[in-house]
Amino acid sequence: MGTREILTLQFGQYSNFIGTHWWNLQEAGFTYKSDDISEINHDTLYREGVSPRREVTFTPRLLSVDLRDGLKALPEVGELYGGLQLPSTSELNWNENAVEVKKEDCDDKSQFLKDLAGASNVEEVLNKDYDFERDVTVWSDYLYSRFHPRTVNVVKQFEYGNVNTPFDVFPLGKEVWKTEQFEEDFTDKIRNYVEECDSFQGFHMLTDCTNAFAGMSSSCLEYLQDEYERKSVLVFPVIPSHFPDNDYETEKERQDSLMSDSIRLMNLALSYNAYNEFSSLFIPLCTSEKGFRQPGLKRSFHNTEYNHKLPYHSSAILASALDTFTLKHRLKTSGFNLVDLCVDLNMVGRKCASASLCFPFCINKNVDLIDCLDQWDGPLTKSITPSCEIGTDRQMQHITIRGIPESRLKGPPHNAEKQRDLPAFKCKTVSEMLTFYYQCTQYASATNVTSVQKALPVKTPFPKFFNQKLDFTGNFTNSEQLSKPESIPVLAGLHTGAEIGVMLEKLHTETRKIKFKRFNAFISGGIENDDFEECLDNIFTLRENYEDNYFL
Amino acid sequence: MAISLLNPKAEVARAAQALAVNISAAKGIQDVMKSNLGPKGTMKMLVSGAGDIKITKDGNVLLHEMQIQHPTASLIARASTAQDDMTGDGTTSTVLVIGELLKQADIYISEGLHPRILAEGFDKARAKALEVLEKIKIPVEASRESLMDVCKTSLRTKVHQKLADVLAEVCVDGILAIKQGDKPVDLHMVELMEMQHKTEADTSLVKGIVMDHGCRHPDMPKQLKNAYILTCNVSMEYEKSEVNSGFFYKTAEEREKMVTAERDFIMQRVRKVVELKKKLCDGTDKSFAVINQKGIDPMSLDMLAKEGIMALRRAKRRNMERLALACGGVAVNSLDDLNESHLGYAGLVYEHVLGENKYTFVEECKVPQSVTILMKAPNKHTLLQIRDAVRDGLRAINNAIEDKAVIPGAGAFEVAANKELLAFKDTVKGKARLGVAAYAEALLVIPKVLATNSGFDAQDTIVKLQEESRLNPDPVGVDLTSGEPVNPKDAGIFDNYIVKKQIINSCSVIASNLILVDEIMRAGMSSLKG
Ligand SMILES: Nc1ncnc2c1ncn2[C@@H]1O[C@H](COP(=O)(O)OP(=O)(O)O)[C@@H](O)[C@H]1O
Ligand SMILES: [Mg+2]
């Protein structure tokens, strides 16, 4: 199978937090040994290029958008292709004596970045521990990947630090999209990437959906639909697990936070409406239970002690899920494409799907998968789609498990002992056994399972938030381990079922309560009450596509 | 603030305070921008904390690179942006004049003049200044010479003279090439193409199209002569579509069948192109190029390469129109009934490879009604600097064509307007005349700063200019090499009419808003809401 390329788009800060982990962990999985043949085709998401110094580069096929102060030490043009050398005043096409140089203070580079820049051996840096929990304020603080000069796009008109003019409402994002920087330059960059591809299959889009980036990604999608109509676009709207303003103390702060919750919810509703119209499939992600009006309680994952108030932590979990459930259309051997995934889940207009995760996949050291599943208590995975649980019947689902080698399936025939009594003993592969497991535990569901040998790499700069009893391969042991996990097994799934209808109904009910006319920023941005009503109606209609009698 | 403190007196105090804040903010940005003005102003190199470099002399760009949090300052910044959007020039002048109007206002208001009356005077002065502008304007034809003058004046304030003159030539020739009679010029038909080149630095006009991509097949010709050009928007790639996809709904055989049918369908399309090429070119010295807005997959590329056809995929949408204008023919959306009349012609088509980037040149077109300005520089920031300058140059030329007039520069308009406003002042009844006087004085900031930036004393210069202006009916500007009066017409220094007009209008409006504090507070608030 030749490479079927995908272009990734990231809109907004939280999307970039997730994206950063995602690119980091993919690169942690690169192997340069020729005997170790990877199952994953990295050319799907990466591109090969040549720098002006004639060095071969391998960089994410990526366009990322953020506000200026969301970048800190990361230069817009990157350093890989040069261009950061200060020109002498004589090169400025002006009288040398009338040149004024204004240098901003150097933003502090995180210790990790400093070490990376100065490292003679990068491996050493990746084996060190850092206090990322304290050091990370923006995603570039833990960015290991190096980018093509096309990749980073900065919205200059807004800053996170400027509280007077926040980039907070849907129409602002649409407005910025209409500027030359996006309508011309950004779309040209998309074209440049796509033109290079021999067998381009579509887009992955990660986008913040509770701030103005919601509007921006909606406009972008509309453009993609227009210009690349036959390509698939898989959208992941993401919601941070925590908003600092929800930790209010005074009455005024409480009032402000309530307003912000309403604004975020309206952005969410407006963007879901656009994603429904213009994407092939969209899958909302959040590590907290509700997502709206507030993120709600954090979801817990086995053997992981994460701080949901740190985007650095929660985004790592979502990145692990993304990397895992997109594997199926990124393998070297499979003929499974992005469009197959979309079609399997979006039938009868079910444009919204849900995702779930088992992180790490809980398996005891030296235990076979068959016994692990036999003794499993409760559902295998946990939902990571806000306000949506994963159903146990009438599901269409794609499941991916990684890091469980076929040798862990079951005991050898001659000393399998009790395993022989289990019906699953007949299964010959990991994917067959998991499929069988789902058949036994879920009613009227269609499940397709992919198994990938390669575990998820979790070395620095991935958070070290795992239970100490996990060994270096992420298997559970009875005692505290000296070394931390270097990789972990993960199971992740994408689903469609009646529960998504329930989620859309909740969204509709909550959004209905908002008095749209009180939110001048939306109205002055050109969204009329009728538009908002229509958006709500569309969400309500979309919900109907998930009613049981339509399906299976 | 607690409610009880809000007595009427406090309101007044607050208003006075807010006025003071506005004035100091306006002075603040005036101070930052002053040094930029004119051909002797300073170039600024901004280096971000992360190391990104921006080189500019443009007031508007500077305002946006600096983060502006102050509502007054951001109002002024928006006026300058509006100026730029509408005319493409005059942004530094806008900021300077607004700042100066506020400084003048400060003096009168502190002496007890009510801001309302002052604003009234500003408005009267604005109307009069427009009259002066009409009188002083010089009608021009869209001749190469007069367009060169205005374009050079503008560009020499952006890049040094040598480069400015090269760029001016390129811009003027570019526009003249695509200008058709009295029809308005569509600036989009002059494409700007950037090439990052380690050793070469020059800007040239290509009378044809340059695209930022090339062939994606090793056996395709890299150069064609005497070429038919097919411009189309037709997919030539096999794409797995929703109908033949999905794991759950179709058997493998069903899917395979549909795939084969779909592939055949694409091949049929490509064969149509091949057939036409054979019919027209085989046995002649003609060749064939396909430029497609949609994709072309390796299998199709292979079929085309075997016939010696050069094929480009994913061309920019706007280039479809531009290719038709440059080469003739039409951009087709379907290959049914394809024939020779759909095709364009170019004498030369060739590919140029630069690192990981490819470029394709389509040249030697018969009557190119779309052209390309090709900029080469060793790095991104220089390319951007030149791109900004070229854009300004093109706008300046286009303004002059549309205005059918230009204005003598070097402060000549401001000196003339100052003189006439001072005379006009005496005819204005009541204290509003003070507003007219303030306005007259404020305009002089332009010649003053031009002089200061060239190392001359502002006061001396103004005195000389005013004296000369009394004696001489011709426009009087300042010669920046000598500090002496000069007739800008003789020196070839011309500004755009529309630029000055826009400055006159917007400055008095913004300055009035800023002194009428209540209104500004509201304007400020609504600007906050975005
Ligand atoms: N050669 C020159 N001699 C004197 N004045 C000039 C000359 N060239 C331009 N100017 C003046 O410089 C001013 C424009 O300066 P510029 O830096 O372009 O600022 P702006 O952003 O306001 O256009 C105009 O008033 C113009 O008349
Ligand atoms: Mg200018």
Side-chain angles (χ1 to χ4, degrees):
Chain A
M1 270 290 162
T3 300
R4 296 154 325 222
E5 304 91 342
I6 289 174
L7 171 60
T8 305
L9 307 168
Q10 293 168 191
F11 289 96
Q13 188 165 44
Y14 194 56
S15 302
N16 281 307
F17 263 88
I18 298 170
T20 300
H21 277 305
W22 192 9
W23 302 111
N24 284 347
L25 66 86
Q26 289 184 73
E27 288 178 34
F30 287 177
T31 40
Y32 301 96
K33 286 176 250 147
S34 52
D35 56 335
D36 179 302
I37 294 170
S38 164
E39 310 148 274
I40 304 169
N41 183 355
H42 291 294
D43 293 324
T44 310
L45 297 181
Y46 280 76
R47 83 187 271 280
E48 198 178 292
V50 189
S51 79
R53 275 168 278 164
R54 302 225 155 80
E55 292 157 335
V56 174
T57 61
F58 196 59
T59 52
R61 188 175 294 107
L62 167 69
L63 291 173
S64 148
V65 187
D66 206 344
L67 305 188
R68 163 156 45 186
D69 55 348
L71 250 62
K72 240 173 75 177
L74 178 70
E76 224 177 311
V77 291
E79 14 70 85
L80 209 48
Y81 281 63
L84 288 173
Q85 229 157 357
L86 277 194
S88 69
T89 45
S90 64
E91 290 170 289
L92 296 185
N93 293 319
W94 199 247
N95 172 6
E96 276 184 64
N97 303 318
V99 172
E100 195 180 318
V101 181
K102 287 202 163 186
K103 258 177 116 161
E104 250 173 58
D105 287 343
C106 265
D107 275 320
D108 299 290
K109 272 193 175 179
S110 66
Q111 193 56 45
F112 173 67
L113 292 184
K114 279 184 200 153
D115 289 359
L116 264 189
S120 53
N121 180 1
V122 178
E123 274 303 304
E124 265 167 35
V125 182
L126 300 184
N127 283 320
K128 252 169 96 173
D129 284 348
Y130 292 88
D131 194 355
F132 287 114
E133 282 71 15
R134 208 201 55 204
D135 288 357
V136 170
T137 57
V138 299
W139 49 273
S140 64
D141 286 331
Y142 61 95
L143 178 70
Y144 171 73
S145 295
R146 300 211 284 171
F147 290 155
H148 191 270
R150 256 183 226 154
T151 291
V152 179
N153 298 271
V154 175
V155 176
K156 294 239 161 68
Q157 298 91 317
F158 295 90
E159 279 197 329
Y160 294 108
N162 193 344
V163 289
N164 288 330
T165 54
F167 193 52
D168 62 344
V169 295
F170 191 85
L172 281 183
K174 295 195 81 94
E175 218 169 90
V176 170
W177 177 266
K178 280 191 218 134
T179 59
E180 183 189 302
Q181 185 193 359
F182 287 90
E183 264 197 340
E184 303 249 331
D185 300 351
F186 189 84
T187 56
D188 236 10
K189 289 174 171 186
I190 296 178
R191 188 180 57 79
N192 289 144
Y193 271 133
V194 175
E195 193 273 334
E196 293 166 356
C197 301
D198 268 339
S199 188
F200 184 71
Q201 55 170 330
F203 304 87
H204 283 159
M205 180 190 278
L206 270 76
T207 172
D208 288 15
C209 59
T210 55
N211 52 36
F213 284 106
M216 197 166 187
S217 59
S218 299
S219 291
C220 178
L221 263 182
E222 204 174 331
Y223 166 80
L224 295 179
Q225 168 75 25
D226 191 29
E227 195 71 36
Y228 302 95
E229 47 185 339
R230 303 209 28 190
K231 306 297 181 189
S232 308
V233 193
L234 177 56
V235 180
F236 299 100
V238 298
I239 304 175
S241 45
H242 176 71
F243 292 105
D245 66 72
N246 286 155
D247 287 339
Y248 45 76
E249 279 171 1
T250 66
E251 175 59 19
K252 164 125 192 358
E253 283 171 1
R254 191 182 75 90
Q255 294 289 347
D256 287 350
S257 181
L258 276 176
M259 279 293 273
S260 299
D261 288 338
S262 295
I263 289 176
R264 287 190 285 253
L265 181 55
M266 289 158 80
N267 291 328
L268 191 80
L270 288 164
S271 62
Y272 278 23
N273 180 41
Y275 304 151
N276 176 42
E277 189 173 351
F278 302 114
S279 77
S280 310
L281 185 71
F282 72 100
I283 306 171
L285 301 176
C286 178
T287 62
S288 289
E289 281 175 8
K290 283 164 60 202
F292 55 88
R293 288 182 43 106
Q294 292 187 351
L297 297 176
K298 72 170 197 178
R299 300 200 193 256
S300 54
F301 299 91
H302 306 286
N303 298 318
T304 305
E305 285 130 36
Y306 75 103
N307 179 351
H308 72 292
K309 294 191 179 179
L310 295 180
Y312 166 69
H313 274 187
S314 62
S315 62
I317 296 173
L318 294 182
S320 308
L322 273 166
D323 191 58
T324 305
F325 57 56
T326 58
L327 277 177
K328 189 172 305 222
H329 55 270
R330 299 194 283 123
L331 293 178
K332 278 182 182 157
T333 49
S334 87
F336 191 83
N337 284 8
L338 188 53
V339 63
D340 294 304
L341 177 72
C342 295
V343 164
D344 278 345
L345 298 177
N346 75 10
M347 270 294 176
V348 291
R350 292 182 165 192
K351 282 284 191 72
C352 182
S354 59
S356 74
L357 182 65
C358 182
F359 174 89
F361 181 72
C362 272
I363 188 162
N364 289 348
K365 196 176 176 185
N366 301 326
V367 166
D368 292 331
L369 179 66
I370 188 168
D371 294 319
C372 170
L373 290 177
D374 185 48
Q375 280 142 33
W376 199 279
D377 197 13
L380 271 186
T381 59
K382 177 158 274 185
S383 169
I384 46 171
T385 293
S387 283
C388 185
E389 291 313 313
I390 305 302
T392 51
D393 58 4
R394 297 174 195 279
Q395 299 290 307
M396 308 285 290
Q397 52 200 0
H398 278 284
I399 305 290
T400 307
I401 186 163
R402 70 193 307 179
I404 303 294
E406 296 295 339
S407 58
R408 293 283 296 276
L409 186 65
K410 55 188 179 183
H414 52 276
N415 64 9
E417 299 164 13
K418 277 194 220 146
Q419 287 182 0
R420 285 171 179 282
D421 301 335
L422 300 171
F425 193 72
K426 65 174 197 282
C427 299
K428 293 188 189 66
T429 62
V430 169
S431 65
E432 205 178 303
M433 190 176 287
L434 260 177
T435 309
F436 185 68
Y437 177 88
Y438 275 102
Q439 273 165 8
C440 299
T441 52
Q442 298 196 339
Y443 168 72
S445 296
T447 309
N448 175 257
V449 177
T450 304
S451 165
V452 177
Q453 305 280 314
K454 188 150 196 142
L456 181 88
V458 292
K459 282 167 71 169
T460 298
F462 201 86
K464 309 250 173 272
F465 51 22
F466 298 108
N467 186 327
Q468 304 234 305
K469 288 187 175 171
L470 294 187
D471 72 1
F472 76 104
T473 61
N475 282 236
F476 192 77
T477 66
N478 289 325
S479 56
E480 293 202 350
Q481 300 287 306
L482 289 175
S483 62
K484 298 188 166 122
E486 291 191 354
S487 65
I488 55 170
V490 176
L491 189 151
L494 297 176
H495 319 255
T496 176
E499 296 70 23
I500 293 162
V502 176
M503 180 262 282
L504 292 170
E505 182 154 354
K506 281 187 213 159
L507 174 64
H508 179 264
T509 311
E510 281 300 333
T511 317
R512 258 268 166 263
K513 290 183 194 155
I514 294 176
K515 297 208 172 40
F516 179 75
K517 289 186 177 136
R518 283 175 43 195
F519 291 84
N520 185 47
F522 286 85
I523 299 164
S524 63
I527 297 183
E528 287 171 19
N529 197 41
D530 286 354
D531 301 330
F532 192 62
E533 285 297 317
E534 194 188 317
C535 155
L536 288 177
D537 291 347
N538 291 343
I539 290 174
F540 203 68
T541 316
L542 176 60
R543 175 203 62 110
E544 287 166 6
N545 297 344
Y546 295 85
E547 282 171 6
D548 260 338
N549 47 355
Y550 278 81
F551 217 53
L552 283 177
Chain B
M1 191 185 297
I3 299 292
S4 61
L5 288 179
L6 271 179
N7 60 37
K9 257 190 190 155
E11 261 314 303
V12 174
R14 247 161 38 101
Q17 224 173 36
L19 178 63
V21 168
N22 284 346
I23 289 170
S24 79
K27 277 186 194 160
I29 47 176
Q30 195 200 45
D31 282 341
V32 179
M33 311 264 296
K34 232 191 323 219
S35 64
N36 295 342
L37 188 76
K40 299 275 167 105
T42 48
M43 178 71 73
K44 296 210 163 64
M45 174 159 77
L46 309 171
V47 186
S48 81
D52 284 309
I53 300 163
K54 176 87 203 177
I55 300 166
T56 187
K57 219 191 127 272
D58 189 297
N60 190 44
V61 176
L62 265 176
L63 277 178
H64 288 93
E65 292 291 326
M66 312 186 312
Q67 263 302 306
I68 296 170
Q69 304 229 4
H70 195 287
T72 313
S74 74
L75 199 74
I76 297 175
R78 284 210 273 157
S80 130
T81 303
Q83 173 78 32
D84 192 51
D85 288 348
M86 272 182 270
T87 69
D89 199 3
T91 56
T92 308
S93 303
T94 301
V95 173
L96 296 192
V97 174
I98 293 175
E100 202 57 27
L101 280 170
L102 286 195
K103 275 193 204 163
Q104 296 296 325
D106 191 20
I107 299 168
Y108 289 105
I109 293 171
S110 66
E111 288 168 5
L113 185 62
H114 195 280
R116 250 272 143 251
I117 296 174
L118 200 57
E120 212 178 285
F122 282 180
D123 198 52
K124 288 197 160 68
R126 180 187 65 87
K128 186 72 192 172
L130 289 176
E131 281 176 29
V132 179
L133 188 70
E134 290 305 321
K135 265 196 282 180
I136 205 171
K137 82 174 180 193
I138 307 162
V140 291
E141 297 284 318
S143 70
R144 189 164 192 282
E145 198 191 352
S146 55
L147 295 179
M148 279 297 280
D149 276 341
V150 67
C151 187
K152 272 187 190 166
T153 305
S154 165
L155 285 174
R156 285 177 187 181
T157 65
K158 304 287 181 254
V159 288
H160 62 55
Q161 183 164 337
K162 205 170 122 225
L163 179 57
D165 294 357
V166 172
L167 298 184
E169 208 145 314
V170 166
C171 290
V172 171
D173 289 344
I175 289 204
L176 289 179
I178 63 162
K179 187 172 176 306
Q180 292 164 56
D182 281 341
K183 275 199 244 157
V185 173
D186 179 359
L187 286 187
H188 287 307
M189 293 305 117
V190 183
E191 174 91 333
L192 307 192
M193 179 60 66
E194 294 160 31
M195 242 189 219
Q196 197 166 325
H197 199 291
K198 261 211 265 182
T199 49
E200 280 177 48
D202 74 284
T203 299
S204 57
L205 181 68
V206 177
K207 295 214 168 150
I209 308 288
V210 184
M211 285 169 285
D212 60 358
H213 52 122
C215 299
R216 294 288 174 186
H217 192 286
D219 301 338
M220 271 186 186
K222 304 284 174 255
Q223 175 174 328
L224 298 179
K225 284 198 170 141
N226 225 348
Y228 283 110
I229 310 283
L230 168 62
T231 313
C232 61
N233 184 18
V234 179
S235 174
M236 296 187 193
E237 69 180 330
Y238 162 70
E239 288 169 284
K240 215 172 167 198
S241 67
E242 295 221 351
V243 233
N244 59 26
S245 303
F247 186 86
F248 293 137
Y249 303 97
K250 300 230 162 55
T251 65
E253 294 90 74
E254 276 177 299
R255 276 181 279 161
E256 204 43 53
K257 233 191 207 158
M258 285 194 259
V259 169
T260 318
E262 193 123 340
R263 277 204 201 278
D264 275 351
F265 181 67
I266 297 296
M267 275 163 66
Q268 288 302 336
R269 281 185 178 167
V270 180
R271 271 191 211 114
K272 283 194 181 128
V273 175
V274 169
E275 275 159 25
L276 184 65
K277 180 259 165 186
K278 284 188 153 162
K279 191 173 126 198
L280 296 175
C281 305
D282 285 8
T284 73
D285 65 343
K286 293 188 179 131
S287 57
F288 205 98
V290 179
I291 297 165
N292 194 352
Q293 191 186 332
K294 290 271 159 52
I296 310 179
D297 64 16
M299 214 190 231
S300 304
L301 286 175
D302 213 47
M303 288 171 68
L304 296 166
K306 284 207 177 89
E307 287 298 325
I309 297 173
M310 187 190 236
L312 273 72
R313 66 189 177 203
R314 299 278 169 206
K316 196 167 161 164
R317 178 177 286 208
R318 192 188 292 142
N319 279 344
M320 297 288 102
E321 188 190 345
R322 296 187 56 237
L323 279 160
L325 278 173
C327 310
V330 283
V332 297
N333 292 313
S334 147
L335 299 179
D336 302 333
D337 314 316
L338 186 68
N339 64 52
E340 190 176 1
S341 72
H342 296 124
L343 306 179
Y345 170 84
L348 180 65
V349 183
Y350 64 96
E351 183 179 286
H352 179 84
V353 182
L354 200 65
E356 63 174 36
N357 299 311
K358 289 184 178 187
Y359 298 87
T360 304
F361 290 70
V362 180
E363 290 190 69
E364 297 176 14
C365 312
K366 278 181 187 142
V367 197
Q369 285 166 20
S370 180
V371 296
T372 306
I373 293 178
L374 179 65
M375 300 166 284
K376 289 186 201 155
N379 52 53
K380 193 93 197 139
H381 44 259
T382 310
L383 278 173
L384 278 180
Q385 181 192 25
I386 294 174
R387 179 171 91 166
D388 287 349
V390 166
R391 282 203 179 152
D392 287 349
L394 291 172
R395 295 285 297 269
I397 299 164
N398 203 32
N399 285 336
I401 294 175
E402 286 184 355
D403 294 341
K404 297 190 167 60
V406 291
I407 301 295
F413 162 71
E414 287 79 5
V415 169
N418 169 271
K419 188 171 89 178
E420 294 222 19
L421 281 169
L422 289 178
F424 169 65
K425 179 192 76 176
D426 299 330
T427 72
V428 175
K429 289 208 191 75
K431 287 193 216 166
R433 67 166 59 176
L434 298 176
V436 177
Y439 196 102
E441 185 61 30
L443 286 180
L444 290 182
V445 70
I446 300 295
K448 279 185 192 168
V449 173
L450 284 173
T452 317
N453 286 348
S454 313
F456 301 108
D457 183 76
Q459 225 100 60
D460 285 352
T461 310
I462 290 300
V463 169
K464 282 185 205 157
L465 294 186
Q466 286 179 327
E467 234 157 59
E468 177 72 21
S469 162
R470 238 193 321 278
L471 305 171
N472 188 339
D474 287 335
V476 178
V478 52
D479 181 335
L480 299 184
T481 42
S482 64
E484 296 300 316
V486 67
N487 184 344
K489 285 189 197 172
D490 301 338
I493 305 165
F494 297 103
D495 291 329
N496 279 135
Y497 164 79
I498 185 78
V499 173
K500 286 281 182 230
K501 183 171 170 184
Q502 177 67 20
I503 293 175
I504 295 168
N505 278 324
S506 74
C507 289
S508 55
V509 173
I510 301 291
S512 297
N513 277 341
L514 288 172
I515 54 174
L516 299 172
V517 177
D518 289 351
E519 277 150 57
I520 176 53
M521 285 183 130
R522 249 181 286 129
M525 291 318 281
S526 70
S527 78
L528 293 186
K529 295 235 175 69

